[in-house]
């Protein structure tokens, strides 16, 4: 395995990149697809699109620990390939879906079998050393950044050929990635390091109970949850905020998201490889959380649209914290528990994808509605800054205990 680590790492990067491109491809045409199968208008369709996201997130919440534990028992390779096939089935169903029910069936299958990020994280933990674990985890963030630049761009172009064409492309990409992995990807978890399968550890609360045995990890996971919830101040409100306050067009919003994707890729794919070895994981966590808090605060207080482009720089520098946090957490668990750990983390993060959008969009609605006394569109970003700062305090407390 040692001679194959670099090709394996490249494959994992490509796997996540293609997964995210596949997700991004469908973003521009999903509203039109919902309209085609339901006849709903934009407003109703947006709400239904939100329920499709919830369906996916709920399945991730329930089944990510199961798939993580299966990868600890049977290895990373078969679970990762199975996950890619699951996404392929989802996209094929979306190509041929005749009604709304089948859209939900596809999203449910994707959520159930969508263990690619979970298993890829466990794979990276298997092939990484203490010295390069943070940098390797940063590759996942870089793949996300690039994927969300490439995917929507391709999706918009293919959408001109037909609503279902981007889904065909996503299915083909994902299937080809599975075939490529079948022939190229080596197994990262040797048989002698695997552990027996235990159903009691496959339920979300069972996996979380195991994490609670590690007080340091428990605190850091709490910090991660808060940071992810806070990130939805941006993810769930960016389009609404920029249109309402600065009258941005769809193309301007898309351009700004492209800039954000480039910055995320640069920070997590390249900058972290320079900064992290020099200042260490702990300081990377503190520095990243500080930048995230500052960026959210400035977003909320921005007076002109062009300010947001400048503020993207400190906000995206906050990406230094995520891979460092994941590296510290991963180092506390043996190889045969990495799948369970990453499954539990994915499950918890899926909960933030339910709570975060609901919380931040409600705050935005409250502070922009004419029937309420205070008008302040930036309120979600200020709340996000406070939540991120609280996460930083949890991380500081946990890392202080970790360093004793």
């Amino acid at each position: 395995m040692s001679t194959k680590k670099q090709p394996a790492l490249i494959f994992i990067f490509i796997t996540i990149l293609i997964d995210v491109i596949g997700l991004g491809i469908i973003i521009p045409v999903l509203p039109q697809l919902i309209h085609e199968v339901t006849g709903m208008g934009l407003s109703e369709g947006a709400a239904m699109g939100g329920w499709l996201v919830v369906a996916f997130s709920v399945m991730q919440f329930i089944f990510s620990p199961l798939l993580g534990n299966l990868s600890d028992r049977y290895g990373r390779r078969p679970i990762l390939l199975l996950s890619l096939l699951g996404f392929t089935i989802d996209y094929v169903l979306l190509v041929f879906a005749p009604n709304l029910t089948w859209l939900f069936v596809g999203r449910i299958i994707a959520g159930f079998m969508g263990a690619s990020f979970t298993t890829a994280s466990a794979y990276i933990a298997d092939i990484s050393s203490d010295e390069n674990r943070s940098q390797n985890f940063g590759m996942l963030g870089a793949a996300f950044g690039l994927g969300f630049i490439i995917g929507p761009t391709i999706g918009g172009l293919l959408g001109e050929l037909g609503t279902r064409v981007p889904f065909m492309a996503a299915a083909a990409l994902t299937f080809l990635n599975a075939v490529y992995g079948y022939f190229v990807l080596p197994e990262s978890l040797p048989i002698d390091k695997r552990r027996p399968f235990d159903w009691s550890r496959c339920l979300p609360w069972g996996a979380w109970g195991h994490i609670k045995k590690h007080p340091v990890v428990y605190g850091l996971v709490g910090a991660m949850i808060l940071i992810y919830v806070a990130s939805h101040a941006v993810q769930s409100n960016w389009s609404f905020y920029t249109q309402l306050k600065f009258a941005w067009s769809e193309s301007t919003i898309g351009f700004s998201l492209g800039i954000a994707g480039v910055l995320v890729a640069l920070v997590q794919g390249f900058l972290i490889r320079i900064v992290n070895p020099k200042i260490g994981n702990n300081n990377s966590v503190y520095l990243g959380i500080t930048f995230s808090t500052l960026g959210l605060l400035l977003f909320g207080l921005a007076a002109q649209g062009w300010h947001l482009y400048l503020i993207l720089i400190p906000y995206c520098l906050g990406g230094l914290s995520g891979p460092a946090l994941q590296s510290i957490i991963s180092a506390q668990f043996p190889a045969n528990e990495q799948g369970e750990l990453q499954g539990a983390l994915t499950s918890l993060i899926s909960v933030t994808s339910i709570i975060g959008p609901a919380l931040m969009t409600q705050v935005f609605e409250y502070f922009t509605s004419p029937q309420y006394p205070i008008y302040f569109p930036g309120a979600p970003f200020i709340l996000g800054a406070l939540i991120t700062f609280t996460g930083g305090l949890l991380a500081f407390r946990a890392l202080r205990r970790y360093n004793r």
Side-chain angles (χ1 to χ4, degrees):
M1 181 66 206
S2 60
T3 60
K4 301 179 180 180
K5 285 184 179 180
Q6 193 60 33
L9 186 61
I10 292 172
F11 173 81
I12 293 298
F13 174 81
I14 292 173
T15 295
I16 298 301
L17 177 62
I18 290 178
D19 271 7
V20 178
I21 289 175
L23 292 171
I25 279 177
I26 69 176
I27 289 174
V29 295
L30 186 59
Q32 182 60 31
L33 178 62
I34 293 173
H35 173 72
E36 285 185 6
V37 300
T38 66
M40 292 180 177
L42 184 60
S43 180
E44 292 174 294
M48 192 55 64
W51 283 112
L52 288 170
V53 173
V54 169
F56 177 85
S57 298
V58 168
M59 298 303 287
Q60 288 261 292
F61 165 72
I62 296 172
F63 289 105
S64 289
L66 169 63
L67 293 169
N69 275 275
L70 285 172
S71 78
D72 285 339
R73 173 65 183 89
Y74 298 105
R76 318 297 183 207
R77 185 175 184 272
I79 305 302
L80 188 56
L81 296 179
L82 183 66
S83 171
L84 293 174
L85 290 176
F87 272 117
T88 303
I89 293 171
D90 168 42
Y91 294 134
V92 170
L93 285 175
L94 295 179
V95 170
F96 297 104
N99 53 49
L100 186 62
T101 300
W102 282 103
L103 294 186
F104 275 96
V105 170
R107 289 283 77 193
I108 288 170
I109 291 174
F112 168 59
M113 300 183 69
S116 56
F117 187 74
T118 296
T119 313
S121 297
Y123 197 109
I124 284 179
D126 292 339
I127 66 175
S128 299
S129 64
D130 290 341
E131 289 74 25
N132 65 10
R133 187 176 285 110
S134 293
Q135 297 94 300
N136 288 346
F137 276 127
M139 292 287 287
L140 297 183
F144 266 90
L146 288 174
F148 274 112
I149 300 169
I150 299 170
T153 302
I154 296 176
L157 294 173
L158 293 179
E160 297 294 325
L161 303 177
T163 305
R164 311 283 178 135
V165 174
F167 298 95
M168 297 177 189
L173 274 175
T174 309
F175 179 72
L176 289 174
N177 196 26
V179 173
Y180 172 66
Y182 180 82
F183 290 105
V184 172
L185 184 68
E187 178 56 61
S188 65
L189 186 65
I191 294 177
D192 61 330
K193 290 187 177 181
R194 299 177 190 178
R195 62 177 175 83
F197 185 77
D198 183 354
W199 275 106
S200 67
R201 296 167 70 167
C202 294
L203 298 172
W205 42 89
W208 301 339
H210 189 61
I211 287 178
K212 287 177 66 175
K213 297 177 182 178
H214 303 263
V216 172
V217 171
Y218 198 54
L220 293 179
V221 169
M224 284 185 68
I225 290 173
L226 291 177
I227 291 169
Y228 273 99
V229 169
S231 71
H232 283 280
V234 177
Q235 294 177 27
S236 299
N237 288 309
W238 186 259
S239 297
F240 301 103
Y241 177 66
T242 53
Q243 284 184 0
L244 180 66
K245 188 171 182 178
F246 303 113
W248 278 12
S249 66
E250 287 82 357
S251 60
T252 304
I253 293 170
F255 179 72
S256 69
L257 293 175
I259 294 295
V262 170
L263 290 173
V264 168
L266 288 174
V267 169
Q268 298 207 5
F270 300 98
L271 185 61
I272 195 170
R273 295 181 174 273
I274 300 172
V275 174
N276 186 270
K278 292 184 177 180
I279 67 175
N281 281 330
N282 289 14
N283 288 329
S284 294
V285 170
Y286 300 145
L287 185 62
I289 291 176
T290 299
F291 275 125
S292 291
T293 303
L294 177 63
L296 286 166
L297 184 64
L298 292 175
F299 279 146
L301 300 175
Q304 297 185 44
W306 65 268
H307 292 169
L308 299 181
Y309 289 103
L310 297 179
I311 299 168
L312 280 171
I313 296 173
Y315 180 71
C316 291
L317 283 171
L320 292 169
S321 65
L325 276 171
Q326 202 164 3
S327 175
I328 297 169
I329 292 170
S330 174
Q332 310 307 306
F333 290 80
N336 63 5
E337 294 180 4
Q338 289 295 326
E340 178 183 40
L341 168 65
Q342 299 302 333
L345 291 178
T346 301
S347 178
L348 288 168
I349 290 170
S350 70
V351 175
T352 70
S353 296
I354 300 171
I355 297 173
L359 172 64
M360 294 304 178
T361 54
Q362 287 298 310
V363 171
F364 182 80
E365 180 187 20
Y366 181 88
F367 282 96
T368 57
S369 175
Q371 59 184 303
Y372 295 113
I374 302 175
Y375 180 81
F376 183 38
F381 300 99
I382 304 302
L383 176 60
L386 292 173
I387 293 174
T388 302
F389 180 75
T390 304
L393 294 179
L394 281 180
F396 177 78
R397 181 181 178 185
L399 290 174
R400 187 172 60 178
R401 182 183 301 175
Y402 172 64
N403 292 326
R404 288 176 180 172

